[in-house]
Structure formats: structure tokens, C-alpha cells
Amino acid sequence: MLGSSRSRHRLTTALAGFALLVTGAALQVGTAATPAHAATTYRVLFDDGHAEEAGNADWIISTSKPDPLSQDSSPSSETDWTGALSSWGVDLQKTGSYSMKTATSALTYGGSSTTDLSNFDALVLPEPNTLFTTAEKTAIMNFVKAGGGLFMISDHTGADRNNDGYDAVEILNDLMTNNSVDSTDPFGFSIDSLDISSGYPAAISDSSDPVLNGAYGTVTKSLIADGTTATLKPADNSAVKGLVYRSGYSGNTGAFFATSTFGSGRVAFWGDSSPIDDGTGQSGNTLYDGWNDSGATNAALALNATAWLTGASSGSSGGGGGGGGGGGTCTSAQLLGNPGFESGNTTWTATSGVITNSSSEAARTGSYKAWLDGYGSAHTDTLSQSVTIPSGCSATLSFYLHVDTAETTTSTAYDKLTVTAGSTTLATYSNLNAASGYVLKSFDVSSLAGTTATIKFTGVEGSTLQTSFVIDDTALNVS
């Protein structure tokens, strides 16, 4: 955390140099290859490097690794591949549109391995039972941020199959809250520490959602057999959306299946591994056929979600109401003018001194950025731009934020930055969000398609002790 009593835009040379160093470090974290976007073949990597076969689990598509085709190059039934996820793998293989591999070693992004994440469109984490390393968490988060799909499948709290002290709930929460890319609730949800014994969670009614209504069928219910749910936090990421809920729950609690976005990528969460279990596997494992459970539509949910995560299906899932901009034709584009502020005080409407090339706070890229507040006295700064979002588009607003403060409290938000799109408040940040370097923020604003909306940042600073809200590299991408 930086910050001291100072006049607006007058950091010492030493502090400015430090800001440049931490910004450079943040940039290094985000530099890697972009995910593969295959023209006709969608590439899915199933993880088996984190004790996914420990205990009475068998979460693999095939015993042939990394390539399941080595077991059977043209499977016609799920028994042609061996594993409790073989139904999932074989069903995808039979479409002719997917290529699958299994990762058995550390996950990387931007490396030379055949199972490096840069070679895939989606990563499936089927109930991991060992913690991801710091490098693996960086790789996974950067993969999603750059456009990859992430499918996280949990189990109930206490399901520590390898007795190492960690279950899938703790491991996946650790991925989201303890990584070097964005630990500020990047996906907009947390996994609950629960063990729900049984039930058939029901899908919401949304005929436009591509996960609930896709090429593989309509989802009505799922299965929970000792599983958990998630708590949604749309104030942290407005794209988060609950699709299937535990009986008696709705809104932000009890979400058994949820979707979200992060950067240019997509995320799905499922609260139990029982629905993906096809009842077959290696000798010695006792498995249950949740994939074909007659009271649920688990296969359709898994396959539709895979299609959405890889980009094989069109449409928008996430952001309350299914992202009202989806479903039509749209030309992909970035809509904001002067998005990195390098043209100086143009296009944007801002209070005096906000758009600046001052070296006292480093830009993330280039020389200019938007610097709101930082006076150490009562002050309000604003930054805004009106933009027309075409009908039929899915839209994502993103920007990089660095919060620097002299406040010492760990509990009181004295200085605040509010982000709005039209009449909707997307997020509020404060001195409590102070951190070194820039952090990517992303919001689904597809509900504004077909309208002209004002994107606005409002910084309000208290009477003493400065807080600076520094913004750079904004974007409003439509597709």
C-alpha cells in the first residue's frame, strides 16, 4: 500500500519509482499467449494433476493420457473410454467438433507443453483435491482473462479425498482469492462451506440462456448428492448469474450452478461432482450414474456449458437476465474513444487535472491515465463518456484500476470511487481496496444494448488523508 500526506499529484521521486516498479510487475503477470480459438474444433483440457482420482473418485475422461484417442480413436459408447467422466468426453468426441486432452502435470500458460493452456479454449477442473501452486493460479487466471473458459466443479466441504487437509471448496476458493492476477472477487462469487446431502436443484426460467437452452437440450434440474452451493456477489462482478438453485433459494444465495465472466473469458461453477459421474470407471471405485439420473438433466447442463465456455455456442450467460444484448447480429468492436487517455483531455468529460501524464502516478501503459482524487482534502472528481451500444450485442466494460492511499484503517471506507453505466451502479471501490499495481475490473453491460449510456467514474474523497483512484486502459468490447 502506497500513500502519505501530500498535495495532489506530488508523490516523491522515490515513491514514483516504486509505483513504476510495481506496475511493471503487474504487467509481467498479465503477459502471455492468447487462448486458442479454433475455427472448427474446440479444444478442452481436463485436469488430472490435482488428485482428481484420489479415494473413491475417478474424474477422468480416459485412462489414456494425455490423448484419450489412444484408447479408442472413434468411441461410440462411453465404455470405449475408461473413467467416470467418459460419457462427457465421448459425447463431445462424437460431435466431431471437439478435441480433448488430459493434463497430468502442472498447469502452465504460454509454455511449450502440448497441454499448455494456450493450446485450449476451455479448462475443466473436476473436483481438484490438491492446492494449485502460485504459478498455476497465475496461469489459470491469465488464461481466462485472455479469453479462455474455466469450468470449476466442486464437492461438499470435508471431501478431502487424499487427506492432505484441503477439499475442493477450499482449493477453488483459494484460486479465486489468493492469486497474483486479481484476488478481489474476480468472478463475483464464493463457494459455500456446506455439505448438502441430497436434492434436485431447479433451473431458473430463461429461454435465452445458452447454458440452460443449448444444442444438447433444455436444462430443468440437476442433482445434488453431498454437494455445496455458491453465494453470488454481483456488486463485485455484475456478470455473475445463478442458473440452478437449491430448493428454497434464489437470487444471491443457494446457487448450485452459476456462470460469470472475467476479462475476455467465461467461467462456470457446479456445486457437486455427482452430476458428472457416469457410473463407470476403473476397477475398485464405487460410482453412481448422475450423468443419466432420470430426475435431472445433468448431461445437457454439462455439454451446453462446455459449448458456451469454448465459444462453440453463441449467446450470453451471466449478468442478471441473461445479458439482454445477446441473440442478434453484432460486429465485434471496441467502442470507447481515447480508451487509454493517450490523446490527452479529449473524448472524455473530466474534472480538471484528472486526465494527466504526471509521473507521480505511473500509467499502466503509455504516458497518460485518469487520476481521480488524491488531494488529502474533501474533493470530488468525475470522468465520463457516453457510448451507443448496438442492439444484438453482448457488451463488456473493462478497465485497470490502481488504488493508492494514506489511510491506515482496515475497516472504514473514507474515500470512494463509484462506477456506473447508465443508471446502474456496477461497483464501488474505496481506500480499503488499496494495492500495489493495477488490477483488471470487468463488467457485463449487455443489458444496455440498443441504448446510449454514460460510463461514469465518480471519486469522492474525505477531508483528510489522500486516496488516489488511477484508471487506465479502458474498453467497452461488443461481440
Side-chain angles (χ1 to χ4, degrees):
M1 182 183 300
L2 296 177
S4 59
S5 298
R6 56 178 170 81
S7 299
R8 165 81 157 122
H9 298 186
R10 286 181 175 83
L11 280 169
T12 65
T13 301
L15 283 176
F18 181 66
L20 286 169
L21 287 173
V22 296
T23 303
L27 283 171
Q28 290 175 6
V29 167
T31 302
T34 55
H37 291 287
T40 58
T41 301
Y42 300 93
R43 303 166 188 175
V44 185
L45 182 66
F46 287 80
D47 183 49
D48 187 35
H50 297 85
E52 281 89 352
E53 297 179 71
N56 202 44
D58 196 40
W59 310 135
I60 55 174
I61 56 174
S62 169
T63 50
S64 177
K65 309 167 194 176
D67 190 354
L69 295 180
S70 295
Q71 182 173 14
D72 191 316
S73 61
S74 184
S76 58
S77 68
E78 61 90 11
T79 54
D80 291 334
W81 289 357
T82 306
L85 306 188
S86 60
S87 285
W88 190 350
V90 169
D91 282 352
L92 291 176
Q93 182 65 32
K94 287 163 65 176
T95 69
S97 297
Y98 291 87
S99 171
M100 287 157 285
K101 295 290 190 293
T102 299
T104 58
S105 56
L107 296 170
T108 61
Y109 180 48
S112 58
S113 167
T114 57
T115 57
D116 185 83
L117 289 172
S118 62
N119 297 318
F120 296 90
D121 298 292
L123 168 66
V124 180
L125 302 177
E127 195 193 338
N129 251 251
T130 59
L131 286 168
F132 296 101
T133 67
T134 298
E136 287 180 309
K137 288 184 286 187
T138 298
I140 293 168
M141 296 298 292
N142 277 328
F143 166 69
V144 180
K145 184 173 73 173
L150 177 63
F151 205 152
M152 299 191 297
I153 301 166
S154 185
D155 200 4
H156 62 90
T157 190
D160 179 9
R161 297 180 184 271
N162 61 342
N163 298 313
D164 70 342
Y166 297 98
D167 56 40
V169 173
E170 296 166 310
I171 291 163
L172 295 175
N173 276 334
D174 178 72
L175 168 64
M176 295 185 286
T177 62
N178 184 26
N179 67 79
S180 64
V181 179
D182 188 341
S183 293
T184 59
D185 192 22
F187 306 152
F189 66 85
S190 60
I191 304 173
D192 303 325
S193 295
L194 295 173
D195 184 352
I196 305 164
S197 60
S198 62
Y200 285 96
I204 65 171
S205 177
D206 188 346
S207 60
S208 66
D209 191 280
V211 176
L212 297 179
N213 297 273
Y216 299 96
T218 299
V219 176
T220 57
K221 290 185 177 182
S222 187
L223 164 74
I224 189 165
D226 287 312
T228 189
T229 55
T231 297
L232 311 186
K233 302 173 185 178
D236 294 340
N237 186 331
S238 63
V240 70
K241 179 181 179 182
L243 300 187
V244 179
Y245 283 86
R246 180 186 179 190
S247 178
Y249 290 80
S250 62
N252 293 335
T253 59
F256 184 59
F257 196 104
T259 57
S260 189
T261 63
F262 175 63
S264 300
R266 296 172 170 179
V267 178
F269 159 79
W270 211 337
D272 195 0
S273 53
S274 299
I276 57 171
D277 186 345
D278 64 20
T280 68
Q282 299 173 77
S283 177
N285 287 325
T286 303
L287 301 166
Y288 173 78
D289 191 359
W291 186 264
N292 296 302
D293 189 289
S294 60
T297 47
N298 294 316
L301 183 52
L303 296 169
N304 286 344
T306 306
W308 179 71
L309 289 168
T310 59
S313 68
S314 59
S316 173
S317 182
T329 58
C330 181
T331 301
S332 296
Q334 195 291 111
L335 302 181
L336 290 177
N338 191 19
F341 309 105
E342 294 307 309
S343 297
N345 200 17
T346 64
T347 311
W348 296 89
T349 299
T351 46
S352 177
V354 165
I355 298 177
T356 176
N357 63 351
S358 166
S359 61
S360 297
E361 283 281 6
R364 178 179 177 269
T365 59
S367 301
Y368 281 83
K369 67 275 171 182
W371 183 354
L372 289 79
D373 297 332
Y375 286 93
S377 59
H379 186 80
T380 298
D381 273 329
T382 59
L383 172 74
S384 64
Q385 183 177 150
S386 293
V387 60
T388 299
I389 303 174
S391 298
C393 285
S394 296
T396 300
L397 172 68
S398 63
F399 57 92
Y400 284 84
L401 174 65
H402 169 52
V403 182
D404 165 270
T405 190
E407 301 284 1
T408 58
T409 178
T410 59
S411 59
T412 305
Y414 289 114
D415 313 308
K416 296 181 180 180
L417 175 73
T418 303
V419 186
T420 58
S423 60
T424 301
T425 298
L426 301 178
T428 299
Y429 306 101
S430 73
N431 48 281
L432 300 178
N433 299 113
S436 31
Y438 283 85
V439 178
L440 176 66
K441 306 296 180 182
S442 181
F443 304 90
D444 188 326
V445 292
S446 301
S447 60
L448 298 175
T451 70
T452 297
T454 298
I455 307 301
K456 187 174 183 179
F457 302 85
T458 303
V460 179
E461 190 173 22
S463 58
T464 60
L465 298 178
Q466 74 84 26
T467 298
S468 297
F469 301 99
V470 191
I471 299 163
D472 204 357
D473 297 327
T474 67
L476 204 166
N477 290 306
V478 296
S479 59

